[in-house]
Amino acid sequence: LTQFKVLSSALFCYLLLGKGQSVKQMVALGMLMFSTVVFQGSWKEWFVTWKKDNHEKTNAAQSISKTSKHFNHEIRQTQYNRNRRHKFFFGVLPCLGATLLSGLAGALSQRSLQTQVASMERSAYFYTVEISFLSAVCLGISMCMNWSWQQRHNSSNEKPDSLVSEKRNHLFHHWTVGTLLPITTKATAGLLTALVHRHLGSVIKGFALTLGLVFSALLQFIFEDKELTSGQMVGTSLVLFSSWLHFTNPSN
């Protein structure tokens, strides 16, 4: 379900910016979404889940034919329906909501960066600073709330010695020089994302993210001697073909 982000980005770019996709480009977006599923092997999990659901339905159908087990069948059917509702409301709906919000955020980011007022243009670098500041504020509020909850919990449940050891820890207690590597990489990725939104759009970012999976697999093959699976090779072919199809058939 998370692979629908590319389609949601295209949908909101059309609704908010009026930028449509040609028929071949929409086919390319569908192929890109499918290539990610094949590349990551998600289809195997879908098949296992589908097979398990069919097995449960078969057992329920067999049990209903036996009148002596009618009550047990009703219990199993109720449990089965409850599990399905739980998966739908706490699994499917949150994923779909996150996918739609991701596409909406990408379209709004693209509109903000590509909107020009008179001779003034939005700077992708300053936009990255704004987003980073807001993210830091939200993270700080979350950390303060978590620290406050832990203080209340520790004051009632933990011993004084453990409280002293907790106070010795600080924000940068577990930091090392290697910690700067993911921080720097994340910051660079945020800047590059803003530049992609500024010059190419949020739909193209979906192709870039998928190509990132391909490059990650190639790096693991080169430096870690990790063999490429058949799904990764097929998914790579689909990614390259869908990219060519999308870029060579622009909308009118």
Side-chain angles (χ1 to χ4, degrees), residues 15-216:
L15 295 177
L16 299 179
L17 304 175
K19 296 185 177 181
Q21 303 285 324
S22 63
V23 176
K24 292 184 179 180
Q25 283 183 325
M26 289 188 289
V27 173
L29 293 178
M31 291 180 59
L32 179 68
M33 182 184 66
F34 180 72
S35 67
T36 308
V37 175
V38 174
F39 189 90
Q40 295 179 333
S42 303
W43 62 273
K44 296 179 181 179
E45 298 179 2
W46 292 357
F47 179 75
V48 172
T49 303
W50 173 78
K51 190 175 181 181
K52 182 179 178 181
D53 290 341
N54 285 343
H55 181 69
E56 292 178 357
K57 291 180 180 178
T58 302
N59 291 339
Q62 292 176 354
S63 62
I64 196 173
S65 61
K66 302 178 180 180
T67 57
S68 60
K69 297 182 179 180
H70 181 70
F71 181 72
N72 292 334
H73 163 68
E74 290 182 352
I75 295 177
R76 285 194 294 268
Q77 187 67 30
T78 303
Q79 183 66 29
Y80 175 75
N81 294 334
R82 186 183 298 112
N83 292 337
R84 288 181 63 88
R85 288 195 298 268
H86 186 272
K87 291 178 181 179
F88 179 76
F89 287 107
F90 296 97
V92 176
L93 285 183
C95 285
L96 288 178
T99 299
L100 293 176
L101 288 177
S102 177
L104 177 61
L108 291 174
S109 176
Q110 179 178 343
R111 186 177 70 173
S112 176
L113 289 170
Q114 294 181 352
T115 299
Q116 182 176 354
V117 180
S119 60
M120 297 178 58
E121 295 182 355
R122 189 73 181 273
S123 173
Y125 304 99
F126 190 73
Y127 176 81
T128 305
V129 174
E130 292 176 343
I131 297 298
S132 301
F133 175 75
L134 293 175
S135 300
V137 171
C138 294
L139 180 61
I141 294 174
S142 176
M143 292 176 62
C144 291
M145 294 178 63
N146 187 31
W147 177 82
S148 177
W149 180 86
Q150 288 182 350
Q151 289 296 112
R152 292 196 301 268
H153 181 74
N154 293 337
S155 61
S156 59
N157 297 331
E158 293 190 359
K159 297 180 181 179
D161 294 338
S162 60
L163 291 177
V164 173
S165 61
E166 285 289 337
K167 291 181 180 180
R168 292 177 181 176
N169 297 336
H170 50 81
L171 179 61
F172 304 100
H173 180 73
H174 298 286
W175 281 45
T176 61
V177 178
T179 310
L180 297 176
L181 180 60
I183 294 177
T184 305
T185 305
K186 184 71 173 179
T188 305
L191 179 59
L192 293 177
T193 301
L195 291 173
V196 170
H197 281 184
R198 173 71 176 84
H199 298 285
L200 298 175
S202 59
V203 176
I204 304 300
K205 186 192 70 173
F207 286 90
L209 292 177
T210 308
L211 287 172
L213 295 177
V214 176
F215 287 135
S216 298

